[in-house]
Amino acid sequence: MSAHADRSTVNRQAATNSPASVQQEGNAGFHAVDKRPEAIAQRKLQQAVMESPRVRQLEAFQAMADNSAVKKSVPGVAPVQRVINFTATQYQNTFGGAGGLTMAQIRDYTNFFVKSDLALAEGRADNRLPATGPGNVAFAGDEGNENAGEIGAIAAYKAALAAPAAAAAPLYASHVRALDGLVALVNVILRRVTTTIADHTLVMATPPKGGAPIPTRTAATVSVPNSRTAYSVTPVEGYAHENVRPTWAATYAATAGSRAVKKAAADAASPAINWATEAAAQSAFGRAAGATLLAPTTQETAPRVAADAGVARPQIKQLSWDNAKEFLPKPLLNLLFDVKNQLRGGTMVDERTPYDLDARIRNATSTVPGTLRSWHEDSTGLLPGNGRAGATPATAAAIPAGAAALHAHYTATSRTGSGTAAGGAGAPTAPVGFAEYTGAGTAHIHNIKVVLDYINSRVYLTLSHYQYWALVVNAAGEHEFIPGGSQDRDTAIDAIRAHNTVAGPPVRPYTLMNPWIEILVP
């Protein structure tokens, strides 16, 4: 993977300082562009590099690759671009619109749709290119003025977002307008940020020894996808995941002193959640979330099939969004948030390449974060009913208008599954209202899956590849995640009972858990 530079004044220092360090400053948490002499000198040096003949040559290659990629995109499938396609106004409308957004809602929107992309865009903002700021104020391009063009417009938007609330409701209408304008500008810049992806496009190539042409994968230079930014644990340079844990924010707000002092205290008290492997993810999640999941006050919902051979199945635990932010890593939170909000007018979520989507391929097993997988059938009924899974054609619930595009895309570009609990006789010939995604949060994804019930706009997460698991309090007094290793209840229980932590000595009681957790994404 290689990220391509564009001809711009690169504001690296601003991008470095942007994400978490100022999360609670001002209102929405934005800060001014770095104007220190060393930062200005760095930008001018990088600008000279960007003007070199070699970079100009790369730009020409880039343009040819981009044009080629456009021509080869899948007919009828809108390409997912690396831009913010869900405005603050759209987000506001999901809450009724008229009352406006609260500052908490504005922060949620900026944390999950704007801030990291803004940091990436700031690194490529160009003071030579004209831009429009708040109130449609024009910022003319001026190579000799660090406050001109795109850089000046970004600074003006940040200042507008740091303004106090209005005296009368809606209190933050001007902030919503400023966010919409900032997003439009960020999108202009992000369209210049590209990367090369191998195995991107399908071409029909004749084998070296002759014969009929066969599908072949070729590389392409394209806009940087979410799988390499928002959903990646190692995002491209200039993109950084901010810490959104509520305890981090609370510590930051409660600590006296400078921004650096506040951040250091918050980082020490609530470091960002990072999962090295899926096994580490299970261990960390069990330890952190176990008490919350088992608390009597934690909400639950019932699976579609209530019992196995007369024995009641575990209920599906529900995690509030605040709890999810406390226990899950930011790339996974980004995916959960985007998956839900695509039904509200956001970008359709599917990180598969044109090669994957081609009708001759229809790759349904990609391990890239945020890719749609095979049609999730819920053949065992462990998820709540959605009106289509397990229903007859005559009784199946209708596809809501907001989910029609996703349903059509999923139908045309994916297929039925091939696992032991999917496919086979009686398998559906189209999706049943559950869209399954490869998850995020670690470098290699196998067990972590996200399912969107796009009939009822509900989001579910499994860390165990749909298999039963258990929680047990170990010798250290911590909650421990015990994998069951099977979708069959009895087989999973045997494995859990044989686990050292449970088998002892001493023998420890455990709580059998449903494979799925519902995440209450706002």
Side-chain angles (χ1 to χ4, degrees), residues 345-394:
T347 306
M348 184 185 297
V349 179
D350 187 2
E351 291 295 297
R352 288 179 294 172
T353 65
Y355 176 89
D356 294 326
L357 297 170
D358 192 281
R360 292 161 291 189
I361 304 298
R362 294 206 294 174
N363 183 7
T365 58
S366 174
T367 58
V368 174
T371 49
L372 274 169
R373 299 182 62 81
S374 59
W375 302 330
H376 188 87
E377 301 170 22
D378 189 37
S379 55
T380 57
L382 279 163
L383 284 168
N386 70 347
R388 288 185 76 88
T392 66

Side-chain angles (χ1 to χ4, degrees), residues 12 14 22 59-60 88 129 221 226 232 248 258 279 286 291 316 322 345 372 389 391-392 409 438 445 515:
R12 297 287 184 199
V22 294
E59 284 181 325
L129 298 178
T221 299
N226 280 316
S232 174
W248 189 100
S258 67
I316 299 163
D322 274 351
L372 274 169
T392 66
H409 172 81
T438 298
I445 303 293

Side-chain angles (χ1 to χ4, degrees), residues 238-309:
Y239 189 100
H241 295 295
E242 64 276 3
N243 189 334
V244 296
R245 297 179 68 184
T247 52
W248 189 100
T251 303
Y252 187 98
T255 302
S258 67
R259 182 181 297 162
V261 169
K262 293 162 73 72
K263 181 183 181 298
D267 287 344
S270 300
I273 303 297
N274 293 298
W275 293 342
T277 65
E278 289 190 314
Q282 292 178 348
S283 177
F285 181 76
R287 186 167 55 252
T292 297
L293 291 172
L294 297 182
T297 55
T298 296
Q299 296 180 321
E300 300 176 333
T301 188
R304 175 167 58 88
V305 177
D308 286 315

